[in-house]
Amino acid sequence: MKTLLQINSSLFGDNGQSSQLNQQLVQEWLAKNPEGKVVKRDLTQDLIPHLDSTRVSAFFTPVDKRSKEQQTIVDYSDALINEIQQADAIVIGAPMYNFSIPSQLKSYFDHLARAGVSFKYTETESWIIG
Ligand SMILES: Cc1cc2nc3c(=O)[nH]c(=O)nc-3n(C[C@H](O)[C@H](O)[C@H](O)COP(=O)(O)O)c2cc1C
């Protein structure tokens, strides 16, 4: 069964323009994949913490040196990465707020982008893993 991950980040919930556009794309995908499963993540309802020194330190600490608290932080990020890696299709609603994407969406990306886990650097480029 195929899975679509729907990410919404409008402050106006399902009424937001980006959410409504997102929903249209999801309906089109469902029409082509009637057996498909949609996993919806509303970043304004299920808030993702900002990346701070505690969290980034946890990410950088080797697995055998992590405290229990650090492991909890890493597990949370790992679950978000796993969710996106399991998806066959991803639809992201990204409104523009104050000349940028919503801070909730940036926090989400900050938990997905982990060197050596979800991407790796080479001498000349960076590559997505998985
Ligand atoms: C707090 C806030 C900041 C905004 N900043 C910008 C902006 O910098 N540039 C722009 O073109 N529109 C801006 N807008 C307008 C939104 O992009 C527009 O209302 C859009 O429909 C919001 O998407 P949403 O309905 O999915 O939340 C802003 C709207 C809000 C509420």
Side-chain angles (χ1 to χ4, degrees), residues 24 49 65 78 80 111 117:
Q24 281 180 30
K65 301 251 166 41
D78 284 348
L80 293 173
H111 281 73
V117 178

mmCIF file with all atom_site columns, all heavy atoms in Angstrom, residues 24 49 65 78 80 111 117:
data_model
loop_
_atom_site.group_PDB
_atom_site.id
_atom_site.type_symbol
_atom_site.label_atom_id
_atom_site.label_alt_id
_atom_site.label_comp_id
_atom_site.label_asym_id
_atom_site.label_entity_id
_atom_site.label_seq_id
_atom_site.pdbx_PDB_ins_code
_atom_site.Cartn_x
_atom_site.Cartn_y
_atom_site.Cartn_z
_atom_site.occupancy
_atom_site.B_iso_or_equiv
_atom_site.pdbx_formal_charge
_atom_site.auth_seq_id
_atom_site.auth_comp_id
_atom_site.auth_asym_id
_atom_site.auth_atom_id
_atom_site.pdbx_PDB_model_num
ATOM 1  N N   . GLN A 1 24  ? -6.266 19.543 -2.183 1.00 0.00 ? 24  GLN A N   1
ATOM 2  C CA  . GLN A 1 24  ? -6.601 19.222 -3.587 1.00 0.00 ? 24  GLN A CA  1
ATOM 3  C C   . GLN A 1 24  ? -5.609 18.209 -4.145 1.00 0.00 ? 24  GLN A C   1
ATOM 4  O O   . GLN A 1 24  ? -5.982 17.256 -4.835 1.00 0.00 ? 24  GLN A O   1
ATOM 5  C CB  . GLN A 1 24  ? -6.546 20.488 -4.443 1.00 0.00 ? 24  GLN A CB  1
ATOM 6  C CG  . GLN A 1 24  ? -7.771 21.372 -4.310 1.00 0.00 ? 24  GLN A CG  1
ATOM 7  C CD  . GLN A 1 24  ? -7.642 22.618 -5.183 1.00 0.00 ? 24  GLN A CD  1
ATOM 8  O OE1 . GLN A 1 24  ? -7.011 22.607 -6.234 1.00 0.00 ? 24  GLN A OE1 1
ATOM 9  N NE2 . GLN A 1 24  ? -8.216 23.702 -4.731 1.00 0.00 ? 24  GLN A NE2 1
ATOM 10 N N   . PRO A 1 49  ? 9.638  21.286 18.543 1.00 0.00 ? 49  PRO A N   1
ATOM 11 C CA  . PRO A 1 49  ? 10.454 22.290 19.249 1.00 0.00 ? 49  PRO A CA  1
ATOM 12 C C   . PRO A 1 49  ? 11.503 22.922 18.330 1.00 0.00 ? 49  PRO A C   1
ATOM 13 O O   . PRO A 1 49  ? 11.969 22.282 17.391 1.00 0.00 ? 49  PRO A O   1
ATOM 14 C CB  . PRO A 1 49  ? 11.146 21.465 20.348 1.00 0.00 ? 49  PRO A CB  1
ATOM 15 C CG  . PRO A 1 49  ? 10.438 20.166 20.410 1.00 0.00 ? 49  PRO A CG  1
ATOM 16 C CD  . PRO A 1 49  ? 9.793  19.938 19.089 1.00 0.00 ? 49  PRO A CD  1
ATOM 17 N N   . LYS A 1 65  ? 27.341 7.510  24.067 1.00 0.00 ? 65  LYS A N   1
ATOM 18 C CA  . LYS A 1 65  ? 27.644 8.547  25.071 1.00 0.00 ? 65  LYS A CA  1
ATOM 19 C C   . LYS A 1 65  ? 26.406 9.357  25.461 1.00 0.00 ? 65  LYS A C   1
ATOM 20 O O   . LYS A 1 65  ? 26.487 10.245 26.307 1.00 0.00 ? 65  LYS A O   1
ATOM 21 C CB  . LYS A 1 65  ? 28.700 9.513  24.514 1.00 0.00 ? 65  LYS A CB  1
ATOM 22 C CG  . LYS A 1 65  ? 30.001 8.845  24.139 1.00 0.00 ? 65  LYS A CG  1
ATOM 23 C CD  . LYS A 1 65  ? 31.084 9.229  25.129 1.00 0.00 ? 65  LYS A CD  1
ATOM 24 C CE  . LYS A 1 65  ? 32.332 8.389  25.088 1.00 0.00 ? 65  LYS A CE  1
ATOM 25 N NZ  . LYS A 1 65  ? 32.835 8.016  23.802 1.00 0.00 ? 65  LYS A NZ  1
ATOM 26 N N   . ASP A 1 78  ? 14.455 10.842 14.981 1.00 0.00 ? 78  ASP A N   1
ATOM 27 C CA  . ASP A 1 78  ? 14.490 9.606  14.174 1.00 0.00 ? 78  ASP A CA  1
ATOM 28 C C   . ASP A 1 78  ? 13.089 9.217  13.696 1.00 0.00 ? 78  ASP A C   1
ATOM 29 O O   . ASP A 1 78  ? 12.921 8.758  12.562 1.00 0.00 ? 78  ASP A O   1
ATOM 30 C CB  . ASP A 1 78  ? 15.058 8.439  14.996 1.00 0.00 ? 78  ASP A CB  1
ATOM 31 C CG  . ASP A 1 78  ? 16.576 8.507  15.145 1.00 0.00 ? 78  ASP A CG  1
ATOM 32 O OD1 . ASP A 1 78  ? 17.213 9.323  14.437 1.00 0.00 ? 78  ASP A OD1 1
ATOM 33 O OD2 . ASP A 1 78  ? 17.115 7.734  15.961 1.00 0.00 ? 78  ASP A OD2 1
ATOM 34 N N   . LEU A 1 80  ? 10.559 11.206 13.112 1.00 0.00 ? 80  LEU A N   1
ATOM 35 C CA  . LEU A 1 80  ? 10.154 12.105 12.023 1.00 0.00 ? 80  LEU A CA  1
ATOM 36 C C   . LEU A 1 80  ? 10.843 11.719 10.715 1.00 0.00 ? 80  LEU A C   1
ATOM 37 O O   . LEU A 1 80  ? 10.231 11.735 9.641  1.00 0.00 ? 80  LEU A O   1
ATOM 38 C CB  . LEU A 1 80  ? 10.499 13.561 12.385 1.00 0.00 ? 80  LEU A CB  1
ATOM 39 C CG  . LEU A 1 80  ? 9.707  14.168 13.539 1.00 0.00 ? 80  LEU A CG  1
ATOM 40 C CD1 . LEU A 1 80  ? 10.266 15.534 13.907 1.00 0.00 ? 80  LEU A CD1 1
ATOM 41 C CD2 . LEU A 1 80  ? 8.223  14.273 13.193 1.00 0.00 ? 80  LEU A CD2 1
ATOM 42 N N   . HIS A 1 111 ? 14.719 19.104 12.234 1.00 0.00 ? 111 HIS A N   1
ATOM 43 C CA  . HIS A 1 111 ? 14.740 17.773 12.848 1.00 0.00 ? 111 HIS A CA  1
ATOM 44 C C   . HIS A 1 111 ? 14.906 16.664 11.814 1.00 0.00 ? 111 HIS A C   1
ATOM 45 O O   . HIS A 1 111 ? 15.189 15.523 12.181 1.00 0.00 ? 111 HIS A O   1
ATOM 46 C CB  . HIS A 1 111 ? 13.457 17.536 13.663 1.00 0.00 ? 111 HIS A CB  1
ATOM 47 C CG  . HIS A 1 111 ? 13.493 18.201 15.001 1.00 0.00 ? 111 HIS A CG  1
ATOM 48 N ND1 . HIS A 1 111 ? 13.377 19.561 15.165 1.00 0.00 ? 111 HIS A ND1 1
ATOM 49 C CD2 . HIS A 1 111 ? 13.676 17.694 16.247 1.00 0.00 ? 111 HIS A CD2 1
ATOM 50 C CE1 . HIS A 1 111 ? 13.465 19.859 16.446 1.00 0.00 ? 111 HIS A CE1 1
ATOM 51 N NE2 . HIS A 1 111 ? 13.651 18.750 17.128 1.00 0.00 ? 111 HIS A NE2 1
ATOM 52 N N   . VAL A 1 117 ? 22.749 10.833 9.042  1.00 0.00 ? 117 VAL A N   1
ATOM 53 C CA  . VAL A 1 117 ? 21.525 10.063 9.290  1.00 0.00 ? 117 VAL A CA  1
ATOM 54 C C   . VAL A 1 117 ? 20.577 10.197 8.084  1.00 0.00 ? 117 VAL A C   1
ATOM 55 O O   . VAL A 1 117 ? 20.200 9.198  7.471  1.00 0.00 ? 117 VAL A O   1
ATOM 56 C CB  . VAL A 1 117 ? 20.816 10.534 10.577 1.00 0.00 ? 117 VAL A CB  1
ATOM 57 C CG1 . VAL A 1 117 ? 19.519 9.766  10.811 1.00 0.00 ? 117 VAL A CG1 1
ATOM 58 C CG2 . VAL A 1 117 ? 21.740 10.375 11.773 1.00 0.00 ? 117 VAL A CG2 1
#
